[in-house]
Amino acid sequence: MTTQSAPEPTRPLPSLAGQSVDKPKQPVTARGERTRNALVAAARRVFERDGFQESRLTDITAEANCSTGTFYTYFQSKEEILDAVFSEAHEDMLHPGYPHLDDDADPIAVLEASNRAYFEAYRRNARLRLVLEQVTANSPEFRKQRLMRGSAFSERNARQIARLQERGLADPDIDAKSAAEALSGMVSRMAYQAFALGSGADIDQLVATATRLWANAIGMRRPDGAG
């Protein structure tokens, strides 16, 4: 679920790698930016292919066709570049390019479009989600930071539920925050089983089911009272 137009600003997201000391500076030239981007793209391919534990820095630098010294110009560790990979994927999933809908659009149509955009973004990032599960299981720091990042989704959805309640389009007795956490978790799990674990679920059926469950759970109504 999301806004009908431009994405809302969200609070800064924490690094999954935690705070590092003397972090290398960001590239200041176009060439440096291209090199850093090539390293992040290469790291993603290596992590998705080999998993985090089995991958090596030399695998990443070979994939990016650069030296180990170049790697350390931009990143201090395998954990730090993994965080950069996750950051890009997180932004893709948080702002996956929702279709424009007018301010007076049917809220259920908005919800359906938002669910579809989320499922499609999850499918694009499904292999990386398996890597996320791996590192979360083995690192308390990654678990903590993942929880903080994940709250960005439920917080945004809570704001949307509250707005629907203010407009008289959702059950006013439901706690928006609790409902958002539960429903966001439900949709995330549906996506994980379908795309990361490969259950083979049809995306159209996923969208229809998630939308109906969402709408029913919060008592969503159309402005004209239909449906």
Side-chain angles (χ1 to χ4, degrees):
M1 189 174 186
T2 186
T3 55
Q4 291 113 316
S5 53
E8 297 180 4
T10 53
R11 58 183 171 79
L13 295 171
S15 167
L16 281 169
Q19 298 296 322
S20 60
V21 179
D22 298 327
K23 185 175 180 178
K25 63 182 180 180
Q26 294 294 309
V28 295
T29 66
R31 181 179 179 182
E33 186 68 23
R34 287 194 299 271
T35 300
R36 185 185 185 279
N37 290 342
L39 279 164
V40 173
R44 175 166 181 158
R45 292 192 295 271
V46 170
F47 292 143
E48 289 181 336
R49 183 189 70 209
D50 301 334
F52 180 72
Q53 299 297 335
E54 298 301 318
S55 61
R56 301 170 299 175
L57 289 184
T58 52
D59 298 325
I60 296 171
T61 55
E63 183 74 18
N65 194 29
C66 71
S67 67
T68 302
T70 299
F71 176 92
Y72 283 114
T73 299
Y74 303 103
F75 302 100
Q76 291 189 12
S77 64
K78 191 169 70 167
E79 287 78 11
E80 194 170 90
I81 198 169
L82 176 65
D83 182 61
V85 171
F86 283 152
S87 293
E88 287 191 356
H90 181 90
E91 284 303 306
D92 180 32
M93 295 184 65
L94 192 61
H95 305 303
Y98 298 103
H100 175 75
L101 295 169
D102 295 333
D103 291 339
D104 59 352
D106 175 359
I108 295 180
V110 174
L111 174 60
E112 182 178 28
S114 300
N115 282 333
R116 182 173 297 279
Y118 176 81
F119 282 127
E120 289 175 348
Y122 201 108
R123 182 165 57 180
R124 289 194 296 272
N125 293 284
R127 293 176 65 187
L128 192 60
R129 301 295 294 188
L130 291 173
V131 179
L132 180 59
E133 293 295 324
Q134 179 188 44
V135 296
T136 299
N138 293 304
S139 169
E141 180 64 25
F142 271 84
R143 285 197 294 273
K144 177 182 176 182
Q145 303 299 339
R146 180 185 177 183
L147 181 63
M148 294 174 66
R149 276 190 171 185
S151 68
F153 290 93
S154 59
E155 288 173 2
R156 182 182 61 185
N157 288 338
R159 290 193 294 272
Q160 294 303 316
I161 292 173
R163 288 170 185 161
L164 289 170
Q165 290 172 320
E166 292 169 0
R167 296 172 59 195
L169 302 180
D171 185 345
D173 296 327
I174 289 177
D175 180 76
K177 181 176 183 295
S178 297
E181 289 175 349
L183 292 167
S184 299
M186 175 194 73
V187 175
S188 176
R189 186 64 186 179
M190 291 171 68
Y192 179 73
Q193 290 188 190
F195 305 121
L197 298 184
S199 70
D202 177 73
I203 192 168
D204 291 333
Q205 187 61 53
L206 286 171
V207 171
T209 300
T211 300
R212 185 164 187 171
L213 291 175
W214 247 101
N216 289 346
I218 66 171
M220 185 183 291
R221 296 178 290 278
R222 294 184 170 92
D224 59 6

